[in-house]
Amino acid sequence: MNKPFKGKTLGYVVRFSVIHVLTYVITGLIFMKLQNYGQVFSESELFINYRPLDSPIVRAAALFQFLRGSLFALLLYPFYDTIIESKYGWLMLFGVLWGFTFIGSVSATPGSIEGFIYTKIPLSEHLIGMPEVTIQMLSFSWLFYKYERKVIGKRTSTN
């Protein structure tokens, strides 16, 4: 195994991914009920190309989020110290993730700047997923930041 992936880095990637998946699943389930995604997905033309919610691959979405969380963790690792050592690091982490999701999207997905520009989707439909993503990223960023600070505290107290 390469040196950079031993010890602390691997633990960081695992913690990042697990917290990402947990907040993704919990927030997704809450908003699925609150916004009645089953009905919205079946009735809205916006979701005509989406798989049904009972599709096996959609049901396995949480498993794919481990990969996504790991990739996010690796991409953000060079900024670890800046984020974790800052008093408002959780807010920086949220800003980066939220910004890349909505502002930095390169495809015309609903809720993205590209989607606002290139699609005929009404504003109300662009906003459907925004509260869910925003709350998931806020909760993830805060929980991850607090947990990492705790891990670092334990590490420094045992040394």
Side-chain angles (χ1 to χ4, degrees):
M1 187 176 236
N2 292 338
K3 189 175 180 181
F5 293 103
K6 287 187 177 178
K8 291 187 274 188
T9 306
L10 182 58
Y12 153 78
V13 171
V14 169
R15 289 187 302 274
F16 193 105
S17 299
V18 168
I19 294 170
H20 167 70
V21 170
L22 288 174
T23 58
Y24 175 88
V25 169
I26 292 168
T27 307
L29 289 172
I30 291 169
F31 275 87
M32 184 181 289
K33 296 294 181 196
L34 285 177
Q35 294 185 331
N36 198 7
Y37 282 174
Q39 181 180 352
V40 172
F41 271 51
S42 66
E43 294 176 1
S44 174
E45 284 190 40
L46 174 65
F47 300 105
I48 199 160
N49 291 321
Y50 283 59
R51 298 175 195 270
L53 293 177
D54 59 355
S55 167
I57 197 165
V58 172
R59 289 180 181 248
L63 298 175
F64 292 103
Q65 293 304 314
F66 279 106
L67 176 61
R68 184 174 184 230
S70 297
L71 292 173
F72 277 150
L74 292 172
L75 290 169
L76 291 169
Y77 187 70
F79 310 101
Y80 179 86
D81 290 338
T82 303
I83 292 168
I84 300 303
E85 292 175 9
S86 171
K87 183 177 180 180
Y88 298 103
W90 69 272
L91 200 52
M92 284 193 292
L93 180 58
F94 166 74
V96 167
L97 292 173
W98 193 89
F100 282 140
T101 300
F102 289 111
I103 298 167
S105 177
V106 295
S107 64
T109 58
S112 71
I113 299 258
E114 298 293 312
F116 286 120
I117 295 169
Y118 295 110
T119 68
K120 297 176 184 177
I121 298 168
L123 179 62
S124 61
E125 292 201 24
H126 276 288
L127 300 177
I128 287 173
M130 202 171 280
E132 176 185 351
V133 173
T134 301
I135 289 171
Q136 188 267 328
M137 288 184 182
L138 270 171
S139 60
F140 164 78
S141 299
W142 187 80
L143 287 169
F144 178 74
Y145 173 81
K146 290 295 187 182
Y147 192 73
E148 283 302 292
R149 300 273 298 213
K150 189 174 183 177
V151 166
I152 289 171
K154 284 182 181 178
R155 198 178 294 143
T156 56
S157 68
T158 58
N159 287 339

